[in-house]
């Protein structure tokens, strides 16, 4: 039932369009998203949360049930999906489990969620460097839907799915990651400072 509902929503939500990296103007987009996620997940309250649209390649931050900022992202090259070893970006309802890098310099490189001391060089070209560098900040997410994005074979947290900075900023807006959600370094630092653990995240393939 949920799969059908999500599929039917794709055309409905994708018809809306906003400018990237700007404060939102008066629009019905926020109301559409709020109505949709509230209907899909009636046990949760959506006021301050994150919405990620895979086909739109955007991350939208809501505060007090209103859009306050939206960012271009890069999700997985393999598309969306919740299976282990799929290298796909997971779908459904998630939460921020933990945050890493409060004191890490912008463009600082992480290995196993620890700052290595290295500062990455940002690549602005549209060609891949073949280096999946995690930089600046890490927001680790956890699935909340048992059997869908939580539990054996589909667990987002165990898959180590992050929202993080990247050295390949020239590819932002394209599906190129190995499952994580990539952001520009200044954008992930800004988002990191605006969100807290346990904030809800809804990821949809729309």
């Amino acid at each position: 039932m949920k799969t059908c509902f999500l599929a039917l929503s794709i055309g409905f939500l994708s018809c809306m369009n906003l400018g990237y990296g700007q404060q939102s103007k008066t629009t019905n987009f926020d109301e559409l998203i709020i109505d949709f996620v509230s209907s899909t997940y009636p046990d949760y309250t959506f006021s301050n949360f994150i919405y990620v649209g895979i086909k739109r390649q955007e991350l939208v931050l809501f505060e007090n049930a209103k859009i306050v900022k939206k960012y271009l992202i890069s999700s997985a090259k393999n598309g969306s999906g919740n299976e282990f070893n799929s290298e796909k970006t997971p779908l459904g309802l998630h939460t921020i489990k933990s945050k890493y890098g409060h004191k890490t310099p912008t463009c600082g490189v992480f290995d196993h969620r620890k700052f290595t001391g290295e500062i990455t060089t940002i690549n602005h070209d549209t060609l891949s460097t073949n280096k999946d560098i995690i930089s600046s900040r890490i927001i680790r997410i956890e699935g909340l839907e048992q059997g869908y994005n939580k539990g054996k074979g589909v667990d987002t947290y165990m898959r180590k799915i992050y929202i993080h900075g990247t050295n390949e900023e020239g590819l932002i807006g394209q599906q190129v990651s190995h499952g994580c959600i990539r952001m520009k370094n200044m954008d992930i630092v800004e988002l990191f400072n605006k969100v807290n653990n346990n904030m809800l995240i809804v990821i949809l393939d729309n």
Side-chain angles (χ1 to χ4, degrees):
M1 186 66 173
K2 180 180 291 183
T3 301
C4 294
F5 189 42
L6 289 174
L8 289 171
S9 72
I10 291 174
F12 177 61
L13 294 178
S14 63
C15 68
M16 305 303 294
N17 188 26
L18 294 173
Y20 290 102
Q22 299 179 356
Q23 302 296 327
S24 64
K25 298 179 181 180
T26 302
T27 176
N28 289 328
F29 184 79
D30 50 0
E31 297 176 4
L32 292 172
I33 294 293
I34 294 291
D35 288 346
F36 177 72
V37 296
S38 297
S39 299
T40 307
Y41 304 105
D43 294 334
Y44 294 87
T45 299
F46 292 91
S47 180
N48 298 341
F49 72 101
I50 290 170
Y51 155 78
V52 177
I54 299 299
K55 285 189 172 66
R56 299 170 64 87
Q57 289 296 285
E58 68 181 17
L59 181 152
V60 182
L61 177 64
F62 282 77
E63 292 180 3
N64 299 315
K66 297 292 183 183
I67 297 172
V68 294
K69 199 66 179 289
K70 70 192 301 268
Y71 306 91
L72 279 173
I73 58 144
S74 286
S75 61
K77 180 179 180 179
N78 290 348
S80 59
N82 298 346
E83 302 83 6
F84 265 88
N85 300 319
S86 65
E87 294 193 350
K88 296 180 178 181
T89 298
L91 297 173
L93 184 64
H94 292 78
T95 187
I96 295 176
K97 182 65 175 180
S98 49
K99 299 165 59 182
Y100 301 88
H102 292 81
K103 297 182 179 179
T104 300
T106 302
C107 299
V109 176
F110 289 90
D111 183 26
H112 293 89
R113 300 181 296 280
K114 293 183 179 180
F115 176 44
T116 65
E118 179 185 355
I119 305 297
T120 189
T121 300
I122 300 303
N123 179 36
H124 297 286
D125 294 334
T126 56
L127 297 176
S128 175
T129 63
N130 296 314
K131 296 180 179 179
D132 188 14
I133 291 176
I134 297 173
S135 58
S136 294
R137 300 290 187 273
I138 296 173
I139 297 173
R140 188 171 184 177
I141 68 175
E142 179 181 36
L144 293 176
E145 299 183 73
Q146 189 67 40
Y148 185 60
N149 56 30
K150 184 179 180 66
K152 186 176 180 180
V154 293
D155 198 287
T156 295
Y157 183 79
M158 297 304 295
R159 290 179 61 201
K160 299 181 176 65
I161 299 296
Y162 309 146
I163 304 172
H164 66 80
T166 179
N167 63 309
E168 295 187 328
E169 289 194 0
L171 294 175
I172 292 293
Q174 301 181 47
Q175 298 185 25
V176 293
S177 84
H178 297 147
C180 289
I181 296 169
R182 297 180 180 179
M183 297 181 69
K184 292 182 178 181
N185 289 275
M186 294 303 294
D187 287 349
I188 185 62
V189 170
E190 180 179 84
L191 179 68
F192 186 96
N193 292 333
K194 289 177 177 292
V195 302
N196 299 308
N197 288 346
N198 303 314
M199 178 180 280
L200 294 175
I201 303 172
V202 180
I203 307 175
L204 302 177
D205 192 3
N206 69 343

